């Protein structure tokens, strides 16, 4: 019944409405079937319609004449734009808003400044003028001059239009004779906020702080957890710093991007529903003066403040620190890219100006040096109970990849943690079985070994570790089982046949044997020894072997020249070109006594 389309109708539509209105009154005077009851029903519906349409009529823009004696508009209820004061309005998506203003007769020039918040805003300025001065008899009614001029206006002039998310100002001469100026605003993306400022006369807008010719924020110092900023002083800041000045510099630090205005920064923080996530990422809005905090209204609880805002000068660094143009932002994370913005806030008027933001990456955290491992050279490391050892390795070639091979040579458990420059790459528990760790993504690596044996074990843990550059190949394959099997049916008085599992990769396998005087076996330390610790007389045979089917990759060897009824210790080593040799579990076999 009272749709917004009625408020956009033309003068012709209004005259038609008045004609229908008169016809309604004529019908109301005709007697119906119900006599007075029919008239009362019409009055009842007219009252309901008045109740429904009443609020919409109060919101009607001045472009729609009402049912008045002269078709004049009650402009007192329109959205007027006050001069010399910032007008903040809510702009719904795809719903234009209009602001109206008039200028005094002696005004020669004026300016209109539109400050979008976080999305581009379409805005235009239109003037509705009258070609002739209205007749004097129309002034007999108690109407304001703008209302009288509006009722006799017939000419619309589009003065200016612009689309963007930056602060935009129109400056120009006043139109004479001018009736009404109309500022139309519209947002296409989503609902937003916009501020409009009207100023009579020439010159820059007086309510906004003035930026210097070069409003660039510069980084003058960077540390692991701090960044020092400096920016040119604003011409609005007095030469002699006064304690009662309403101007304040405020700094915003975040991990996303720079903001073109203070409103956009605040709206971005308000839209973030997870405040704890904002704290974890390090987005920090430095507190503002008390007047600024009051402007945030009911949404100020969504803004993260490190500390309450004091009435006097704040103690925290860069907390809207007055008119000082140097600031050190601290408590930052190492090796992190931050975006830094500076806003000049006028707490007396609620206006602000944004400097051109910058970005800076904090320095990397100092890393411990650790014992360097030589490429492809095995190293023995002794770990005290519940002790640790830090090692480092820098691979050769590109890309910088490394292969770690480790084995614990004693009944202990050792935790190994390998990290690059910024993150942990691997963490595993190593015991008797050899373990390979493939590292990539960093030019250097830190390896930390920690003895995790129970408190009852008082002996040291012995770890054999080797690091090799692996830029030219993938990680090698270890045998699925490291057991050595003897075949009883193939055993004789002077020979023994043994077998072991190989891999699908071609490797050299060497079999060593030695005569035992008793049934004793090898110690834990001997399990980590390679073929370099054995004499040439103990080497029985060496052979290359591979099988593409891992389930059938079993190799055998027959060792002869043995004595009858004698126990021998057999060891098999898988010797690789890169990486430490892998020793199989020792096997004790006794030859037949009677053949």
């Amino acid at each position: 019944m009272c749709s917004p389309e009625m408020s956009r109708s033309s003068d012709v539509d209004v005259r038609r409405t008045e004609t229908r209105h008169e016809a309604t009154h004529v019908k109301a005077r005709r007697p119906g079937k119900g006599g007075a009851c029919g008239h009362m029903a019409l009055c009842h519906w007219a009252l309901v319609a008045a109740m429904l349409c009443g609020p919409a009529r109060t919101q009607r823009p001045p472009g729609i004449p009402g049912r008045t004696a002269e078709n004049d508009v009650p402009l007192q209820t329109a959205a007027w734009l006050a001069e010399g004061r910032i007008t903040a309005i809510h702009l719904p998506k795809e719903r234009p808003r209009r602001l109206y203003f008039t200028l005094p007769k002696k005004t020669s020039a004026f300016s209109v400044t539109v400050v979008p918040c976080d999305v581009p805003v379409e805005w235009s300025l239109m003037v509705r003028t009258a070609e002739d001065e209205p007749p004097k008899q129309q002034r007999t009614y108690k109407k304001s001059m703008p209302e009288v001029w509006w009722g006799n206006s017939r000419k619309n002039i589009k003065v200016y239009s612009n689309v963007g998310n930056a602060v935009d100002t129109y400056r120009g001469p006043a139109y004479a004779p001018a009736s009404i100026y109309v500022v139309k605003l519209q947002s296409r993306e989503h609902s937003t906020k916009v501020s409009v400022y009207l100023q009579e006369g020439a010159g820059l807008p007086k309510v906004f702080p003035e930026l210097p010719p070069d409003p660039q924020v510069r980084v003058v110092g960077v540390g692991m957890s701090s960044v020092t900023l400096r920016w040119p002083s604003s011409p609005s800041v007095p030469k002699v710093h006064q304690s009662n000045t309403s101007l304040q510099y405020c700094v915003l630090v975040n991990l996303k991007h720079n903001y073109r205005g203070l409103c956009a920064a605040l709206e971005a923080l308000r839209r973030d529903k997870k405040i704890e996530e904002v704290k974890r990422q390090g987005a920090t809005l430095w507190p503002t003066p008390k007047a600024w905090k009051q402007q945030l209204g009911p949404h100020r609880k969504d803004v993260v403040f490190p500390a309450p805002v004091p009435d006097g000068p704040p103690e925290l660094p860069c907390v809207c620190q007055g008119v000082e143009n140097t600031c050190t932002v601290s408590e930052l994370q190492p090796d992190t890219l931050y975006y830094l913005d500076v806003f000049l806030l006028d707490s007396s008027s609620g206006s602000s100006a944004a400097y051109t933001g910058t970005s800076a990456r904090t320095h990397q955290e100092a890393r411990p040096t650790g014992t360097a491992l030589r490429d492809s050279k095995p190293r023995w490391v002794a770990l005290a109970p519940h002790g640790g050892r830090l090692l480092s390795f820098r691979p050769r070639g590109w890309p910088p990849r490394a292969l770690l091979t480790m084995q614990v040579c004693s009944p202990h458990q050792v935790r190994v943690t390998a990290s690059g420059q910024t993150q942990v790459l691997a963490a595993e528990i190593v015991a008797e079985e050899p373990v390979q760790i493939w590292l990539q993504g960093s030019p250097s690596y830190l390896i930390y070994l920690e003895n995790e044996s129970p408190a009852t074990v008082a002996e040291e843990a012995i770890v054999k570790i080797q690091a090799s550059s692996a830029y030219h190949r993938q990680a090698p394959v270890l045998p699925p089982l490291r057991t050595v099997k003897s075949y009883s049916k193939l055993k004789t008085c002077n020979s023994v046949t043994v077998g072991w599992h190989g891999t699908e990769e071609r490797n050299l396998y060497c079999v060593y044997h030695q005569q035992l005087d008793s049934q004793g076996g090898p110690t834990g330390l001997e399990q980590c020894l390679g073929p370099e610790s054995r004499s040439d007389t103990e080497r029985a045979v060496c052979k290359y072997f591979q099988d593409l089917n891992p389930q059938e990759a079993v190799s055998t060897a027959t060792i002869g020249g043995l004595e009858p009824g004698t126990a021998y210790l057999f060891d098999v080593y898988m010797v690789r070109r890169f990486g430490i040799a892998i020793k199989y579990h020792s096997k004790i076999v006794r030859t037949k006594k009677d053949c």
Side-chain angles (χ1 to χ4, degrees):
M1 296 174 61
C2 304
S3 64
E5 299 298 332
M6 294 177 61
S7 62
R8 307 188 185 95
S9 60
S10 62
D11 295 340
V12 177
D13 296 331
V14 173
R15 287 193 291 269
R16 293 175 180 175
T17 304
E18 293 180 349
T19 303
R20 289 194 299 268
H21 178 68
E22 295 176 358
T24 304
H25 281 282
V26 172
K27 293 180 180 180
R29 288 191 296 267
R30 294 177 182 176
K33 293 183 180 180
C37 296
H39 180 68
M40 291 178 63
L42 289 175
C43 293
H44 172 73
W45 287 112
L47 179 60
V48 172
M51 294 176 61
L52 294 176
C53 300
R57 187 173 301 170
T58 59
Q59 299 176 358
R60 179 185 299 164
I64 303 304
R67 290 192 293 268
T68 60
E70 302 176 6
N71 264 351
D72 293 339
V73 182
L75 296 179
Q76 299 91 334
T77 60
W80 286 97
L81 183 61
E83 194 273 337
R85 187 177 61 188
I86 296 178
T87 301
I89 63 172
H90 175 71
L91 195 60
K93 178 183 177 182
E94 298 290 352
R95 291 180 59 186
R97 294 287 301 272
R98 292 173 175 84
L99 302 176
Y100 305 88
F101 66 91
T102 60
L103 297 175
K105 188 174 182 180
K106 297 181 179 180
T107 303
S108 60
F110 73 100
S111 64
V112 176
T113 302
V114 175
V115 184
C117 185
D118 54 346
V119 294
V121 172
E122 303 177 9
W123 77 280
S124 62
L125 176 63
M126 185 190 72
V127 179
R128 186 163 187 177
T129 64
E131 298 180 355
D132 300 323
E133 187 175 353
K136 294 183 179 181
Q137 58 269 19
Q138 291 190 1
R139 303 183 187 178
T140 56
Y141 296 92
K142 294 181 179 180
K143 304 283 183 187
S144 62
M145 282 304 301
E147 294 174 312
V148 177
W149 279 86
W150 180 272
N152 292 272
S153 301
R154 294 296 183 269
K155 185 177 181 182
N156 295 332
I157 301 176
K158 189 173 183 180
V159 179
Y160 181 77
S161 63
N162 181 60
V163 180
N165 58 354
V167 179
D168 187 43
T169 300
Y170 167 78
R171 300 183 184 89
Y175 282 76
S179 170
I180 296 294
Y181 293 82
V182 184
V183 178
K184 179 182 176 182
L185 306 123
Q186 188 170 9
S187 174
R188 298 290 186 182
E189 294 188 11
H190 59 72
S191 300
T192 183
K193 297 179 181 179
V194 64
S195 300
V196 184
Y197 176 72
L198 169 64
Q199 177 175 295
E200 298 175 1
L204 297 174
K206 301 176 183 179
V207 72
F208 294 99
E210 186 179 355
L211 291 177
D214 180 20
Q216 177 66 51
V217 179
R218 290 176 173 82
V219 178
V220 296
V222 179
M224 286 189 301
S225 61
S226 63
V227 175
T228 301
L229 306 174
R230 186 176 179 85
W231 54 90
S233 297
S234 168
S236 301
V237 176
K239 298 296 182 182
V240 179
H241 296 175
Q242 301 176 1
S243 59
N244 58 353
T245 180
S246 61
L247 296 176
Q248 296 265 6
Y249 288 115
C250 302
V251 178
L252 173 71
V253 183
N254 74 100
L255 298 172
K256 298 179 181 179
H257 53 77
N258 292 109
Y259 293 98
R260 303 188 64 175
L262 179 60
C263 179
L266 294 178
E267 286 298 316
L269 293 179
R270 289 168 182 162
R271 284 196 301 265
D272 197 339
K273 298 180 180 179
K274 299 178 181 179
I275 300 179
E276 293 299 329
E277 182 178 357
V278 174
K279 294 180 181 179
R280 179 179 59 82
Q281 292 179 350
T284 303
L285 179 64
W286 301 109
T288 63
K290 192 173 183 179
W292 183 18
K293 188 174 182 180
Q294 291 175 353
Q295 286 183 1
L296 300 180
H299 301 286
R300 64 171 178 241
K301 61 183 179 181
D302 297 331
V303 182
V304 183
F305 290 101
V309 179
D311 294 334
E315 299 178 357
L316 298 178
C318 296
V319 183
C320 293
Q321 54 177 17
V323 291
E324 294 294 332
N325 62 336
T326 302
C327 166
T328 299
V329 183
S330 58
E331 299 182 4
L332 304 179
Q333 296 295 326
D335 194 23
T336 305
L337 179 63
Y338 289 94
Y339 296 90
L340 306 106
D341 292 294
V342 174
F343 305 103
L344 179 57
L345 173 70
D346 188 348
S347 57
S348 62
S349 63
S351 61
S352 63
Y355 279 73
T356 304
T358 185
S359 61
R361 179 178 290 277
T362 52
H363 291 168
Q364 296 181 2
E365 190 174 4
R367 304 184 68 194
T369 58
T371 304
L373 296 175
R374 296 180 60 182
D375 198 343
S376 300
K377 185 175 181 61
R379 188 182 185 92
W380 297 78
V381 179
L383 301 176
H386 304 286
R389 186 76 177 274
L390 183 64
L391 308 173
S392 64
F393 179 65
R394 183 179 293 273
R396 296 178 288 107
W398 187 263
R401 296 185 295 188
L403 178 64
L404 298 181
T405 305
M406 288 164 292
Q407 185 179 6
V408 179
C409 308
S410 54
H412 295 80
Q413 284 189 345
V414 174
R415 174 178 291 274
V416 55
T417 304
S419 60
Q421 289 186 335
T422 59
Q423 60 181 346
V424 175
L425 301 177
E428 293 189 24
I429 298 293
V430 183
E432 261 188 78
E433 295 295 327
V435 173
Q436 294 183 133
I437 298 179
W438 181 263
L439 302 176
Q440 59 183 349
S442 179
S444 62
Y445 302 94
L446 290 178
I447 302 101
Y448 184 70
L449 305 178
E450 184 179 7
N451 189 351
E452 289 197 347
S453 299
T456 56
V457 180
E459 296 83 6
E460 290 184 335
I462 307 299
V463 182
K464 186 178 183 181
I465 182 172
Q466 182 202 45
S468 62
S469 300
Y471 58 90
H472 55 282
R473 56 184 168 76
Q474 297 295 323
V477 180
L478 295 179
L481 296 175
R482 290 192 304 123
T483 57
V484 178
K485 182 181 179 180
S486 65
Y487 299 94
S488 300
K489 294 182 179 181
L490 302 178
K491 182 170 59 175
T492 65
C493 292
N494 55 7
S495 66
V496 172
T497 299
V498 295
W500 62 91
H501 285 272
T503 66
E504 57 266 31
E505 296 178 347
R506 181 177 174 83
N507 291 305
L508 178 65
Y509 297 88
C510 294
V511 181
Y512 287 79
H513 73 290
Q514 61 178 349
Q515 185 176 345
L516 295 180
D517 296 335
S518 63
Q519 296 295 333
T523 62
L525 184 60
E526 292 176 349
Q527 288 292 337
C528 289
L529 296 176
E532 68 278 357
S533 63
R534 311 294 292 268
S535 64
D536 293 340
T537 58
E538 296 178 350
R539 184 172 62 239
V541 63
C542 288
K543 58 183 293 189
Y544 284 97
F545 173 75
Q546 72 176 128
D547 196 312
L548 298 180
N549 188 354
Q551 297 179 355
E552 299 179 359
V554 178
S555 181
T556 60
T558 301
I559 296 92
L562 307 179
E563 296 182 3
T566 306
Y568 289 89
L569 179 69
F570 291 90
D571 292 312
V572 177
Y573 297 91
M574 185 178 74
V575 183
R576 301 176 298 167
R577 183 179 178 185
F578 302 97
I580 61 178
I582 302 300
K583 183 179 181 298
Y584 287 70
H585 297 292
S586 300
K587 179 71 174 180
I588 298 176
V589 182
R590 183 180 294 274
T591 57
K592 287 185 177 182
K593 186 175 182 181
D594 299 324
C595 297

